[in-house]
Each structure stands twice: as structure tokens, then as C-alpha cells.
Amino acid sequence: MFGSFVWNLWSAILGFTLFFALSIAKHTPPYVMIGSSISAFLFLLLAFVFRFLIGEIAVSRGDASGDETDTGLTEDETGVDLDFIDEFDAEKAANVIKDLLKEE
């Protein structure tokens, strides 16, 4: 998913503020607070949907920053397939580094 939850919170604050500013002069305070809260919740959900869609588009195009790292090494150069390593598999990564150091 693109971005962080902070984007959702900023979006909710924006929705709350917009509704509040545009309706405070014309409506009663309870209506304004309830409407602002509902608007904030809808903006929060809308930001979540947009973040999800942007993340899916980026992954499908292969542009997702931070999802995969490009080491510039291929199986032909090292003799080791680096595609099986994910960021939480430290033991496999250490073995690949040891293999690479042995070749030099």
C-alpha cells in the first residue's frame, strides 16, 4: 500500500475542517459537529481507498518503491538465485553474502 496511515489522518482532518468551515455559519452546532465527524470518517475511508489503488497500480507496473530492491546482480553473475530472499530472511541473505565473498 502506498504511503502511511498518517495520510488517512490528514485527509480526515481536511474533511472535518472543510465541512466545519463551510457549514458553521448556516447550521446549528450539533449538526455541524455530527456532519464534520461523518465527513472526516468518509475522507479517511476515501484516502484509504486511494492509497490502496495507487499501491496496486504501482505494484502492477513494477514501480513500487521499497517493495523490492534491485541489487544489480543476477543468477548468472553469482551462481545464486537472489529472487528467493525477502527482507526478513536474514539467514538466507547471510549465506548469499558468504557465497559471494568466497568467489573473490
Side-chain angles (χ1 to χ4, degrees):
M1 186 172 296
F2 182 77
S4 66
F5 190 72
V6 176
W7 287 97
N8 294 45
L9 295 179
W10 279 112
S11 177
I13 291 169
L14 176 69
F16 184 92
T17 305
L18 282 174
F19 190 91
F20 187 87
L22 295 175
S23 64
I24 189 68
K26 299 177 185 176
H27 300 287
T28 62
Y31 174 82
V32 171
M33 291 305 295
I34 291 171
S36 296
S37 299
I38 291 171
S39 177
F41 181 72
L42 292 176
F43 270 67
L44 184 114
L45 290 178
L46 190 63
F48 178 77
V49 169
F50 280 136
R51 282 181 49 227
F52 178 77
L53 291 176
I54 290 171
E56 288 297 313
I57 291 169
V59 167
S60 69
R61 290 185 179 178
D63 312 342
S65 61
D67 288 345
E68 293 184 24
T69 56
D70 184 18
T71 60
L73 300 174
T74 63
E75 185 175 357
D76 296 335
E77 295 172 6
T78 63
V80 179
D81 182 16
L82 298 177
D83 292 335
F84 70 92
I85 298 175
D86 58 12
E87 61 184 293
F88 299 108
D89 198 354
E91 185 176 335
K92 288 181 182 178
N95 289 336
V96 169
I97 292 171
K98 287 178 188 176
D99 290 340
L100 290 173
L101 290 174
K102 288 179 186 176
E103 289 180 6
E104 293 180 13

